[in-house]
Amino acid sequence: MELIASSSTFCPVATPPLTSSLPPRSSSSTASFPFPPPPLRGCACRAILSTHTTQKEKNGMLGARSYDLDQLSGLTALSPLDGRYWGKVKELTPFMSEYGLIYYRVLVEIKWLLKLSQIPEIVEVPSFSEDAKSYLQGVIDGFSVSDALEIKNIEKVTNHDVKAVEYFLKQKCQSNAEVAKVLEFFHFACTSEDINNLAHGLMLKEAMGSVMFPIMDKIIKSFCNMAKDNAQVPMLSRTHGQPASPTTLGKEMAIFAVRLSRERKELSQVECLGKFAGAVGNYNAHVVAYPDVNWPQIAEEFVKSLGLSFNPYVPQIETHDYMAKLFHSLIQFNNILIDFDRDVWGYISLGYFKQITKAGEIGSSTMPHKVNPIDFENSEGNLGVANGGLSHLSMKLPISRWQRDLTDSTVLRNMGVGIGHSLLAYKSTLQGIGKLQVNEARLSEDLKQCWEVLAEPIQTVMRRYGVPEPYEKLKELTRGRAVTKESIRDFIEGLDIPEAAKTNLLKLTPDTYIGAAVELARTVEQAADLL
C-alpha cells in the first residue's frame, strides 16, 4: 500500500480553498498571527493522502465501510494534536508545523542573500536597491500555504527539502530583474544544516516567546491569585497521607507559584544558538571562494541579526546542547505542574474543593451524580506524553556521529509534539482552576477532628522550659489513640510550665496553629517576581 501526498485533490469540506494565503507577516515580529482554518480541523497544508489498495485489501483492513478514511482530516489524523485537540494548540502552527519550518528556511535563505550584498569583497552581489530589498522582504512577509505546497512539490523531484527551498526562491525571484542576476548566490557556501539549524532556532524562540511563555505566566499568576485569596484559609496538612501540622490553602498554592517561577526563569535564560560555518564548521568553501573575507565574523553578525546567539565551534550541525537544556527545563516545569494536578485532584477527592458544574456536561456515562476532575487528569496525562517526547529530544539531540549523522533530522520534526502536549496540558490546568470553589466548611471539619496535630507545639514548648522527655510524653498521649480537645486541654493543664506559656497553649486550636503561612501566601508575588 502506497501513500501519496496529492496537491490536486481536495477534501470536500476544506475551507478556505487551497489558494488562500496567510496574512502578511513581519520577519521580526513574534506576535501571534492567524492561520487559515484547515478542513474539519484538518491538515495545515491540505495535502490529501490517497491509498492504492484493492477493494479486497480495504475490506480486509477496514471492513465494508461506507465512508472514506483515505482523506486526512480531524477524524483521520494519527496525532490527537492534529485532530481532537487542534483547536487548543493551533496557535503553535505558524512555528512548529511543516509550514513553519519551511517559512523559516525561506526567511534564512533570503536574509543570507541580503547579507552577501552587504559584503564589499563580494562584488558579484552588489548592494540591492530599496525596491529589490522590498521585493525580497515581500517574499518573506507574503509567504503562504500555497508557496509551501509548491516547495513540497519541488521536493518530490529533488527528494531534498532544503534544496527545494533554494529552487523555489530561484523560480520566485526570476521576475525581479535585479535579484535575477544573482540567483546562484541563494544558498551560497551553505550546507543544509546552516539553514535548518537557524530555522529550528527561530521556530523555538518564537514559539516559546509568542505562545508558551505567556501561558506559563498566566498559570503562575493564577497560582499567585489563589495563594492571596486563600492566604487565611486554614487547612490540615498531610505527610505520608496522614494528618500533619496545619497550613493554609493559600500557602500551599504559593509553593507552586514560586517553583514554577523558578523554572520559568531558567527557560527564559536559555539562549537559542545558531551556526553558519559550512559543511564541517570550518568555512572551507567560503575561504576558497573569497579568501579575503573574515567569514567567522560575517557568520556571527548574520546569526545575531536573526535574534539568535552565535555558536562558533561546531561540526556540520549546531550541537543542540541549548535545545537539551531548554527541553530539560520544560520537563521540570511540567513535572511541577503534574505535582500540582495530583495535589488538587486529591483535595477535590477530600472535598476541599468543589467544582462548578456546566449545564449539559456529563461526568459519567452511568453515574449521573459524578463531577470528575477531568481537567487536572487531562493535564497530567498530556504532561506525561509531553515529557516522554521532550526527554528523548534532550537525550538524543546532543549526540551525533562524528561530524554529523541524520538521526537528528527526523527527531527535530517532533519538537512540536512535546511542546504541543505541554500547551494542551497548561490550558487544561487553567480550565480546571477556573472551576474550583473552596469548601471552607469541609476544611474546617477535618481540622476539628485532628487535635493530635497540637502535639508538636506542646512538646516544643515543653522542651523550652526543661520538661523531661517531652516528645515521649506526647507520643504516649497521641500515637495511635483518639485525641480530643478535652484530652489535649487536660494534658496542658497538668504541665509544670509558666502560666503565660500554658495560657498560650490553651488558646491554640488546629485552625490557628498555622505559623507564618498567612504572610508567606500574601507575599508570594514578591517572591515570584524576584525569580
Side-chain angles (χ1 to χ4, degrees), residues 213 216-217 220 260-268:
F213 285 152
M216 287 177 172
D217 293 341
I220 294 168
L260 290 177
S261 295
R262 188 177 294 116
E263 292 308 316
R264 165 66 170 84
K265 180 183 178 182
E266 290 289 327
L267 280 161
S268 67

Side-chain angles (χ1 to χ4, degrees), residues 233-244:
V233 177
M235 181 179 79
L236 183 67
S237 293
R238 280 178 168 78
T239 58
H240 309 281
Q242 305 303 308

Side-chain angles (χ1 to χ4, degrees), residues 39-95:
L40 295 181
R41 181 289 325 145
C43 71
C45 67
R46 297 173 179 78
I48 302 303
L49 294 180
S50 61
T51 56
H52 293 293
T53 59
T54 65
Q55 189 59 46
K56 182 178 179 180
E57 287 175 320
K58 285 187 176 182
N59 288 343
M61 290 184 294
L62 306 174
R65 301 183 182 178
S66 60
Y67 47 86
D68 189 0
L69 296 181
D70 294 343
Q71 295 180 345
L72 180 58
S73 72
L75 293 175
T76 60
L78 296 181
S79 167
L81 293 180
D82 297 316
R84 181 180 183 89
Y85 303 130
W86 167 255
K88 296 181 179 180
V89 299
K90 62 183 178 182
E91 58 262 53
L92 284 171
T93 299
F95 314 113

Side-chain angles (χ1 to χ4, degrees), residues 220 224 257-258 261-262 265-266 269 523-531:
I220 294 168
C224 287
V258 174
S261 295
R262 188 177 294 116
K265 180 183 178 182
E266 290 289 327
Q269 291 177 341
T523 58
V524 62
E525 283 188 333
Q526 294 93 306
D529 287 344
L530 285 174
L531 294 172

Side-chain angles (χ1 to χ4, degrees), residues 134-410:
S134 178
Y135 175 83
L136 288 169
Q137 188 61 48
V139 175
I140 297 172
D141 294 343
F143 190 75
S144 67
V145 172
S146 296
D147 290 331
L149 272 176
E150 187 174 342
I151 291 172
K152 295 300 289 184
N153 286 331
I154 296 171
E155 185 186 341
K156 292 177 185 178
V157 179
T158 63
N159 197 31
H160 196 289
D161 47 4
V162 177
K163 205 66 178 175
V165 172
E166 178 189 345
Y167 288 170
F168 166 81
L169 289 172
K170 287 179 177 179
Q171 294 174 10
K172 188 86 170 178
C173 294
Q174 285 177 354
S175 60
N176 183 282
E178 193 174 342
V179 180
K181 295 177 182 179
V182 294
L183 292 178
E184 290 305 324
F185 281 85
F186 275 119
H187 204 71
F188 177 77
C190 294
T191 184
S192 295
E193 192 56 25
D194 286 332
I195 308 302
N196 280 336
N197 90 95
L198 297 182
H200 287 128
L202 291 170
M203 290 165 69
L204 276 174
K205 183 177 181 180
E206 293 206 23
M208 294 302 295
S210 297
V211 180
M212 301 305 287
F213 285 152
I215 194 168
M216 287 177 172
D217 293 341
K218 191 173 182 180
I219 290 172
I220 294 168
K221 180 65 175 177
S222 71
F223 287 0
C224 287
N225 290 339
M226 291 177 72
K228 292 185 299 179
D229 292 345
N230 299 286
Q232 299 186 75
V233 177
M235 181 179 79
L236 183 67
S237 293
R238 280 178 168 78
T239 58
H240 309 281
Q242 305 303 308
S245 300
T247 182
T248 71
L249 180 58
K251 184 262 179 176
E252 300 312 302
M253 298 301 103
I255 291 172
F256 289 106
V258 174
R259 291 176 70 191
L260 290 177
S261 295
R262 188 177 294 116
E263 292 308 316
R264 165 66 170 84
K265 180 183 178 182
E266 290 289 327
L267 280 161
S268 67
Q269 291 177 341
V270 176
E271 291 183 293
C272 293
L273 302 179
K275 57 83 66 173
F276 211 73
V280 291
N282 301 328
Y283 309 95
N284 303 49
H286 308 63
V287 172
V288 171
Y290 293 96
D292 297 329
V293 174
N294 185 342
W295 286 109
Q297 179 182 329
I298 292 295
E300 182 173 2
E301 291 173 355
F302 179 61
V303 170
K304 288 183 175 179
S305 73
L306 298 175
L308 303 174
S309 297
F310 182 59
N311 186 354
Y313 288 93
V314 292
Q316 183 176 106
I317 64 170
E318 199 290 315
T319 50
H320 306 318
D321 298 322
Y322 84 88
M323 288 186 177
K325 186 175 183 180
L326 179 72
F327 296 142
H328 273 305
S329 293
L330 190 54
I331 287 170
Q332 183 56 18
F333 187 97
N334 290 351
N335 277 339
I336 294 168
L337 202 56
I338 289 174
D339 195 23
F340 171 81
D341 288 336
R342 291 179 178 177
D343 277 7
V344 173
W345 187 98
Y347 293 146
I348 292 171
S349 179
L350 291 170
Y352 290 179
F353 286 113
K354 295 179 180 179
Q355 295 180 95
I356 299 171
T357 58
K358 184 178 179 181
E361 283 191 351
I362 294 173
S364 168
S365 63
T366 187
M367 294 175 281
H369 68 283
K370 295 291 289 292
V371 184
N372 296 327
I374 58 173
D375 296 306
F376 300 105
E377 293 170 337
N378 283 336
S379 175
E380 180 184 341
N382 279 293
L383 290 169
V385 173
N387 284 359
L390 294 169
S391 178
H392 179 66
L393 287 167
S394 61
M395 296 297 289
K396 186 273 158 296
L397 289 176
I399 300 171
S400 184
R401 295 173 181 87
W402 295 337
Q403 282 65 56
R404 83 94 36 112
D405 61 46
L406 201 63
T407 54
D408 66 327
S409 179
T410 189

Side-chain angles (χ1 to χ4, degrees), residues 26-43:
S26 169
S27 61
S28 62
S29 171
T30 59
S32 177
F33 68 91
F35 197 76
L40 295 181
R41 181 289 325 145
C43 71

